[in-house]
Amino acid sequence: VASENLQNDERLRDIIVERNFFTSGTATQLSLLVVSSAITVRNNIFNMTAGKYKTFVKIASPGTSPPSAEVNVYNNTLYGGSAPVIAGNEFVGISIDSTATKVAVVNNLILAPSATNPVRIVGTGADIVSLNNSTAFQIKTAPGWVFAIPSIPSDFKLTAKSYAISAGISIPVFSDFFLNSRHIYHLGATGQ
C-alpha cells in the first residue's frame, strides 16, 4: 500500500486492508508494506512459515510522499511457523518507521516459536500506541488454535482455552476474519 516508487509523490489515504490471507514462499521477507495515511489493517492472517527473514507489516519511510500518519493495525494474526529454531532466523511482527505519526497497534496475535529473538513491534515514530498485543512470553507459546500447525484460515480459529480470548480491548472492529460478530474482544483475526 504505497506509491509506485519512492521517487513519485503519489499520496494514498483512506484505505482498509481487511480479511486477507497472506502466505509466503522461501524468498518472501515482507508481507505488507504501508506508506500512506489514514489506513487500517485489520482482521488479516499472515502465515509466513517459509523463509528465514520475516517482517509481517512494515510502515516504511515515505521517500518523496508525506510520512505515514493515522495507521491502525488491529486484530491481525501473525504466524511465523512452528519449525525447529533456525539460527539467525529474523522475525519482526510490525516495524514502524521513525517518521510515522499516530500509529495504533492493538489486539494483534503474534506467534514466532521458531525465531531465536523475535521482535513483536519495533519503531520510534511519534504518538505510537501499542496495546493488548501478544506478550513477549506469548509470542513463543501456542495460542490454542483449532489446529496446532495451521495452514488454512479455518485452522487459526481459537479454542475455548486460548489465552487470546478476552485478552483484547474494545476498538472499532465489529467482526472477525470470517465475518462473525465480535461479542468479546479477542486477540487476532479470528474468533472461536
Side-chain angles (χ1 to χ4, degrees), residues 157-180:
K157 288 184 178 180
L158 303 172
T159 60
K161 295 185 179 183
S162 174
Y163 63 73
I165 292 177
S166 299
I169 60 171
S170 178
I171 55 172
V173 178
F174 306 106
S175 61
D176 71 2
F177 181 89
F178 299 103
L179 294 172
N180 297 319

Side-chain angles (χ1 to χ4, degrees), residues 126-138:
D127 303 316
I128 294 176
V129 175
S130 176
L131 298 169
N132 293 70
N133 300 291
S134 294
T135 66
F137 173 76
Q138 290 169 338

Side-chain angles (χ1 to χ4, degrees), residues 15-66:
I15 298 170
I16 296 176
V17 178
E18 183 171 30
R19 294 186 181 93
N20 295 284
F21 182 58
F22 293 86
T23 59
S24 65
T26 55
T28 304
Q29 295 184 15
L30 176 63
S31 286
L32 182 63
L33 175 68
V34 175
V35 182
S36 56
S37 294
I39 183 168
T40 299
V41 178
R42 66 183 181 208
N43 285 327
N44 297 287
I45 299 173
F46 296 87
N47 184 7
M48 290 185 76
T49 56
K52 186 174 178 179
Y53 306 103
K54 301 170 175 120
T55 299
F56 293 79
V57 178
K58 182 174 184 174
I59 302 166
S61 175
T64 58
S65 300

